[in-house]
Amino acid sequence: MSTDLLIIRNRNKLEKLIEENADYKLILRQSKRLDMYINRKMKELRR
């Protein structure tokens, strides 16, 4: 799956967790996952 799609998909998951007032640990885990994909995309763009 492309990195762009992974970013969009995980951003939507994070937004949903925030809207539902999910547990802080779940939000934090999802935020870290999103950061990982954003970092991957930044590395791709630098090449």
Side-chain angles (χ1 to χ4, degrees):
M1 189 176 290
S2 78
T3 306
D4 291 328
L5 291 176
L6 288 169
I7 290 171
I8 292 168
R9 183 176 169 194
N10 282 281
R11 182 181 297 139
N12 289 338
K13 285 183 183 180
L14 179 59
E15 288 174 0
K16 184 177 178 184
L17 287 172
I18 292 170
E19 289 172 0
E20 294 175 349
N21 293 322
D23 184 52
Y24 176 77
K25 289 181 181 182
L26 291 173
I27 293 172
L28 184 61
R29 185 181 324 143
Q30 185 62 36
S31 178
K32 287 180 180 180
R33 187 174 298 140
L34 178 58
D35 288 344
M36 177 187 67
Y37 291 127
I38 291 171
N39 286 332
R40 181 188 297 177
K41 181 64 177 179
M42 295 301 290
K43 288 178 184 176
E44 288 175 8
L45 292 174
R46 278 191 247 148
R47 292 182 188 170

